[in-house]
Amino acid sequence: MEPLAREALTEWKRILAYWEKYAPDYERGGFHGRVNYDNKPVADAARSVILTSRILWTFSSAYRYFHRRKYLVLADRAYHYLYNHFRDVQNGGVYWSVTATGAPLDTRKQLYAQAFAMYGISEYYAASKFQPALDFAKELFQVVDKHGYDAEFGGYFESFGTKWETVDDLILSKMPWNKSQNTHLHLIEAFTNLYRVWPDVVLKQRVGHLLDMFLEKLIDSDTHRLRLFFNQRWSPQAPTISYGHDIEASWLLWETAEVLHDPSRTELVKQKCIKVAAAACTGLGEDGALNYEFDPATNHLNRERSWWVLAEQMVGFYNAYQLTKEVHFKEKAEKSWTFIKKHFIDSQRGEWYGSVTPELTSIKGDKINFWKCPYHNSRACYEMVRRLSEK
C-alpha cells in the first residue's frame, strides 16, 4: 500500500473512533447536536438532519469496507433516530431540525436536507439490506420529485414549507433565488447513490437530467466554474466563485457518469470534469490549499481554508489525475494531504479543526455541530484508499 493510502486509512479509522466515542447520546438517543472544542457535549443543542444523515452515511460506508459490527450498530442508531424523529409522517419528507429531545423544531422542507437523508439511507440499505430503509429512501425520492421537480424549466426548486407550500424564507441563503448549485450537487449525489441500489427507470431519467443540467446550466461554458444561484429560468443571480464546490463537483459528476454507463454522455462529462478541476486550480494558495471563495463583483478573496474544502480538493485533484495522467494533478492531491496533516488534524483532541486562518492558525471551534460532520473527511480518506489500492 502506498504511503498516502496507508496514512489515509489510519486517519479514517481515527475519525471513526472519534465519532464512536464522542457523538452518541446514550441518555436521549441518537447523537449530540453539538460537541465543543474540548469534546464536551452541549446538552440543549438542536439536532440537524444534515448531521444525522452524514453520520448515517459515514458508519454505513465504514461497515461496507471494514465489516466491523460496531460500525453497523452506529449506523442502525443513526437510521432509527432519523426515521423516528426527522420523518414527517403526515406530509412526507424530513424536517430540517429537531430539539435535543427529538421533537420537531424547524419543519421546513429544504431539498438539500432531503438529499442528504436519501444519501445516508441508501448507503445504509447497501450496508444492512434492511428493506424498510430502501422503502424510506424511495419515499423521499418520490416526494422530492413530486414537489421539487421543475417540469417547465428543469432542475429542482430549493425550499418549501412544512406542507410543501412555496416559501420565501430560504434556509441556506438570504438571497432571492429559486435554485442553487449546492442543492443540485447533493441531489445528484443522492440520486446516484440511490440508483446503485434501486435501478428505477424514473430515477435514472432524473439522474441523467441532473447531469445535463450541470453541463448546460450550472457550469459556465466559458470559465468552467459552477454558477451558484439562479432564478427559476436559470438566470445566474450572483458571480461568486466557490472553489470547494468546483473541485467537489469535478469528481462527483464523473462518479455519476460512471454509474449511468451512458456512452453518449461519458466522454463529454469526462472532458467537462477535467476542465472544472483545472479551473479550480486558480484558487490554490502557494501552500497548496484552496481559498474559500472569490467575489468578482467586489474583488474580495476569502482566504480562509475550510476542512471540507481540503478534503474535497484531495479527492478532486486525484480524480483529475486518474482521468488525465497529468502529474501536476497528482502533486496537488498529495500537497492537499500534506496541508491537512499539518493544519487540520487535531492529534490531541481528535477529529479535524473546522477552519484555518489565512495566517495558517487553526481555529479552535466545535468538533461537532449542525455542519461539522464526519462525511467529508472520512469519505476523502476512503476515496484515497480505494483509488490508490485500485492502481
Side-chain angles (χ1 to χ4, degrees):
M1 184 178 284
E2 290 197 18
L4 197 160
R6 185 170 58 250
E7 291 178 7
L9 181 62
T10 299
E11 179 58 20
W12 184 12
K13 292 177 180 178
R14 206 179 71 91
I15 293 167
L16 293 170
Y18 177 91
W19 286 81
E20 180 185 1
K21 181 176 182 180
Y22 292 108
D25 183 344
Y26 292 110
E27 292 184 12
R28 291 169 294 190
F31 298 85
H32 296 295
R34 182 183 169 204
V35 174
N36 67 20
Y37 175 69
D38 293 315
N39 296 328
K40 303 297 183 184
V42 178
D44 60 350
R47 302 177 179 194
S48 73
V49 72
I50 302 300
L51 177 59
T52 303
S53 299
R54 290 172 172 182
I55 291 172
L56 174 59
W57 182 90
T58 296
F59 284 107
S60 297
S61 62
Y63 177 73
R64 293 184 65 197
Y65 185 88
F66 294 108
H67 303 292
R68 297 193 67 181
R69 177 70 185 173
K70 65 177 183 176
Y71 296 146
L72 185 59
V73 169
L74 288 163
D76 289 340
R77 183 182 190 84
Y79 171 77
H80 290 293
Y81 194 88
L82 179 63
Y83 185 88
N84 292 328
H85 295 279
F86 285 97
R87 180 171 175 254
D88 186 338
V89 178
Q90 291 185 324
N91 303 298
V94 293
Y95 304 132
W96 179 255
S97 64
V98 299
T99 67
T101 57
L105 184 59
D106 189 332
T107 59
R108 285 175 289 179
K109 304 297 163 48
Q110 189 82 17
L111 260 61
Y112 180 95
Q114 313 304 312
F116 269 106
M118 204 183 311
Y119 185 60
I121 294 165
S122 57
E123 189 70 15
Y124 175 67
Y125 173 73
S128 66
K129 299 300 184 286
F130 184 55
Q131 183 61 40
L134 181 58
D135 295 339
F136 187 13
K138 293 178 184 179
E139 174 188 305
L140 286 176
F141 167 72
Q142 288 158 355
V143 74
V144 163
D145 202 55
K146 176 182 177 181
H147 296 287
Y149 179 64
D150 184 352
E152 185 176 5
F153 296 104
Y156 286 79
F157 293 108
E158 191 71 16
S159 186
F160 299 87
T162 302
K163 297 181 179 180
W164 294 94
E165 71 276 16
T166 301
V167 294
D168 295 324
D169 54 336
L170 305 177
I171 292 175
L172 297 184
S173 174
K174 300 302 181 184
M175 297 181 62
W177 40 259
N178 302 98
K179 297 171 182 175
S180 75
Q181 66 79 21
N182 205 358
T183 289
H184 281 81
L185 183 61
H186 294 297
L187 279 171
I188 199 171
E189 172 186 49
F191 285 9
T192 298
N193 209 44
L194 179 57
Y195 183 72
R196 288 187 173 107
V197 296
W198 181 48
D200 176 72
V201 174
V202 175
L203 175 59
K204 183 177 183 179
Q205 290 173 349
R206 293 296 189 256
V207 175
H209 171 73
L210 283 173
L211 197 53
D212 291 341
M213 287 294 99
F214 272 92
L215 297 176
E216 298 168 10
K217 305 292 186 182
L218 285 137
I219 300 173
D220 188 303
S221 59
D222 295 322
T223 66
H224 310 296
R225 300 187 187 282
L226 290 179
R227 299 182 176 111
L228 302 191
F229 307 116
F230 306 84
N231 64 15
Q232 184 181 356
R233 295 173 179 263
W234 290 103
S235 175
Q237 299 298 291
T240 307
I241 295 168
S242 174
Y243 298 112
H245 287 114
D246 284 348
I247 197 63
E248 183 180 17
S250 74
W251 75 269
L252 286 180
L253 297 180
W254 176 243
E255 179 182 65
T256 295
E258 288 185 300
V259 170
L260 282 181
H261 301 295
D262 183 351
S264 66
R265 287 191 183 98
T266 300
E267 185 60 28
L268 183 62
V269 174
K270 176 181 178 181
Q271 294 307 317
K272 182 61 70 173
C273 288
I274 293 168
K275 290 176 181 178
V276 171
C281 293
T282 61
L284 285 167
E286 292 183 2
D287 51 24
L290 282 173
N291 293 299
Y292 197 75
E293 61 183 24
F294 175 67
D295 184 357
T298 61
N299 203 37
H300 175 69
L301 176 65
N302 182 344
R303 295 178 57 232
E304 179 182 295
R305 280 65 188 279
S306 174
W307 66 283
W308 74 264
V309 174
L310 265 292
E312 297 300 335
Q313 73 171 64
M314 178 169 64
V315 180
F317 286 134
Y318 195 81
N319 181 71
Y321 165 70
Q322 290 179 300
L323 295 179
T324 64
K325 301 306 177 186
E326 294 178 14
V327 176
H328 74 94
F329 281 126
K330 180 173 181 285
E331 291 172 344
K332 287 178 174 63
E334 293 170 343
K335 200 167 183 179
S336 303
W337 180 239
T338 299
F339 190 95
I340 288 168
K341 289 191 294 181
K342 185 174 182 179
H343 298 289
F344 276 100
I345 295 175
D346 186 344
S347 58
Q348 291 186 322
R349 290 174 174 80
E351 245 292 327
W352 292 16
Y353 298 104
S355 57
V356 173
T357 68
E359 296 73 35
L360 303 183
T361 299
S362 301
I363 297 176
K364 298 176 180 179
D366 291 340
K367 292 300 180 71
I368 297 174
N369 60 31
F370 247 64
W371 298 99
K372 187 65 168 54
C373 65
Y375 144 81
H376 288 287
N377 51 0
S378 72
R379 186 175 69 173
C381 290
Y382 160 70
E383 285 291 336
M384 296 309 295
V385 170
R386 179 180 70 82
R387 291 164 187 267
L388 288 164
S389 300
E390 291 176 354
K391 288 178 58 179

